[in-house]
Amino acid sequence: ADGPRGHDAPITAYRPAPRNTSSSVTPTSMGKSRSEFAVTNAQAADDLLMKLKIEDSIDGWSARMRQWISINVVQEVSRLIDRVNKAGFARMPPSLQQQAMQGGGDKARPQYPRTPDGHHHGPGTGLSSSGSESPAGASQVPVGSAYAGVHFLLSQISSGQAAPSELVILDMYTDVLGCRSREYVVQRIQDLASGAYMEGFLWAAGALWRGKDWTPELPTDAQIILHLFCTFLDFKLPAASHFTPGQTRPRPFTSRHFVVYPESVERRPNLGSVVIYQRHMHPPHLELVSMPGCETWPVIQGRCNLWYTLVLLVYYIQHNLEGYLANVSIAQRDINLGAVLESWHDT
């Protein structure tokens, strides 16, 4: 089974906020003071854009990238969550269904068509209904969760039970780096799926959770979106012959094109021609590195950092790799990343 498919939906005009080169939020683990990094990073990032002659296009392309991710990835994963949730709720024993519905609102009990035997069946996932008690996942269903069905089935994966393809896909999409709360990730994806531009996106933070303010124990919205982007491409590229340490499923894009500090790009084997390097987690800061010479493409810090990095990744692939990653064109219909760099003035 494949991951969420790309859409042919038009990428329409959107006026992005201009980048802020004097943001006070600065990674502190880079060996420089905040003010020093702010100045050197902003200058180096602007110099790169001028060298590439894209300083007048980057903001428009970033808006396109934001919409592309919203339509092709976030909204598709949101629909996947809904399908898995319905099927999972149908499989839960009645006692767990009642537990899940305590304070969960209407979404805690998805609606299904009934079969002649009176059972519910969730559509779209190949998961059949079962009225039998299942010990796996019983302690993992959050009380009052609107997505109890998702968490019930994901807990069965963690217990070693065989899983249908859509559940495996969702498991990969919600396994965000450094986050222990799948419940938060699922809810946040659903929140961000509202609207075409993820209007509630908070690059260095996230949403209220269980009545409390967001804390760095939860992933930032930027971390979640970056993970969804990488996972989307994991499903589009041919499976790699090697796995990074701790991996149990193929992630051909993530394993070859994404590295996180303190791991070193120079010491990571089998990397691809271009790498997204995450230098800092809170607040998130990314840059691009071209291989094999480890040439850094600096990216402005702050709220534009994620979008600029992904735009520069597409730009690099288009101009340095003839538009291909692992023999796969990023312009093909089910990816359609080439649309991000179309002329901004044509919209």
Side-chain angles (χ1 to χ4, degrees):
D2 207 352
R5 310 281 303 174
H7 282 275
D8 294 324
I11 298 180
T12 55
Y14 168 73
R15 185 175 297 278
R19 61 187 182 272
N20 182 358
T21 59
S22 60
S23 170
S24 61
V25 182
T26 308
T28 57
S29 63
M30 301 183 188
K32 296 181 178 181
S33 68
R34 290 192 174 201
S35 58
E36 182 184 0
F37 177 81
V39 172
T40 57
N41 167 258
Q43 185 62 56
D46 282 346
D47 286 348
L48 174 66
L49 298 181
M50 288 187 286
K51 177 182 177 181
L52 299 176
K53 300 180 180 180
I54 60 173
E55 66 273 19
D56 294 331
S57 301
I58 189 73
D59 288 322
W61 290 346
S62 295
R64 285 177 170 273
M65 176 61 75
R66 182 166 176 156
Q67 189 184 29
W68 179 92
I69 291 176
S70 176
I71 293 172
N72 293 282
V73 185
V74 179
Q75 293 178 23
E76 287 292 319
V77 175
S78 174
R79 284 188 276 270
L80 176 62
I81 289 171
D82 287 337
R83 293 196 301 272
V84 171
N85 191 47
K86 289 180 179 180
F89 192 90
R91 290 192 63 178
M92 289 167 58
S95 60
L96 292 183
Q97 290 180 351
Q98 291 298 321
Q99 173 183 324
M101 286 188 293
Q102 294 176 20
D106 293 338
K107 270 195 170 182
R109 179 167 54 186
Q111 299 299 310
Y112 311 96
R114 285 186 179 271
T115 61
D117 61 4
H119 289 158
H120 292 291
H121 289 267
T125 60
L127 300 171
S128 62
S129 172
S130 173
S132 61
E133 293 288 335
S134 174
S139 62
Q140 303 293 327
V141 178
V143 174
S145 171
Y147 302 100
V150 169
H151 305 303
F152 175 74
L153 293 179
L154 288 177
S155 68
Q156 292 185 328
I157 285 186
S158 64
S159 70
Q161 296 192 25
S165 58
E166 280 205 332
L167 183 57
V168 173
I169 292 170
L170 183 58
D171 181 51
M172 293 178 68
Y173 270 110
T174 56
D175 187 17
V176 176
L177 176 70
C179 179
R180 297 180 180 179
S181 177
R182 295 289 186 96
E183 189 181 357
Y184 174 81
V185 173
V186 167
Q187 182 62 62
R188 194 59 183 146
I189 290 172
Q190 296 295 69
D191 293 342
L192 293 172
S194 176
Y197 291 100
M198 297 180 284
E199 287 84 355
F201 177 84
L202 300 170
W203 74 275
L208 289 171
W209 182 236
R210 295 176 178 170
K212 298 181 180 180
D213 289 338
W214 180 91
T215 68
E217 294 178 355
L218 299 170
T220 62
D221 286 354
Q223 197 73 50
I224 291 175
I225 296 303
L226 176 62
H227 175 79
L228 295 183
F229 176 88
C230 291
T231 303
F232 175 88
L233 290 179
D234 284 333
F235 286 114
K236 302 303 179 184
L237 302 186
S241 59
H242 63 277
F243 289 68
T244 56
Q247 269 192 346
T248 57
R249 300 189 185 99
R251 285 190 175 272
F253 179 84
T254 301
S255 62
R256 303 199 67 218
H257 301 278
F258 181 50
V259 177
V260 181
Y261 179 89
E263 189 173 8
S264 169
V265 175
E266 292 87 345
R267 297 181 181 180
R268 173 81 166 265
N270 302 313
L271 286 176
S273 300
V274 60
V275 175
I276 299 171
Y277 186 50
Q278 183 161 0
R279 282 196 173 274
H280 201 262
M281 189 72 71
H282 295 291
H285 184 79
L286 311 169
E287 61 190 22
L288 214 60
V289 179
S290 63
M291 304 298 287
C294 294
E295 178 187 357
T296 298
W297 284 27
V299 184
I300 192 72
Q301 63 171 328
R303 56 189 171 79
C304 294
N305 176 258
L306 171 65
W307 312 119
Y308 279 28
T309 301
L310 297 184
V311 164
L312 287 171
L313 172 70
V314 174
Y315 182 92
Y316 186 95
I317 295 169
Q318 291 279 62
H319 289 264
N320 295 72
L321 303 178
E322 299 182 347
Y324 282 80
L325 273 181
N327 297 320
V328 174
S329 170
I330 63 170
Q332 69 185 34
R333 183 175 179 180
D334 65 340
I335 298 178
N336 198 30
L337 270 171
V340 171
L341 300 191
E342 290 177 356
S343 174
W344 178 247
H345 301 291
D346 292 341
T347 58

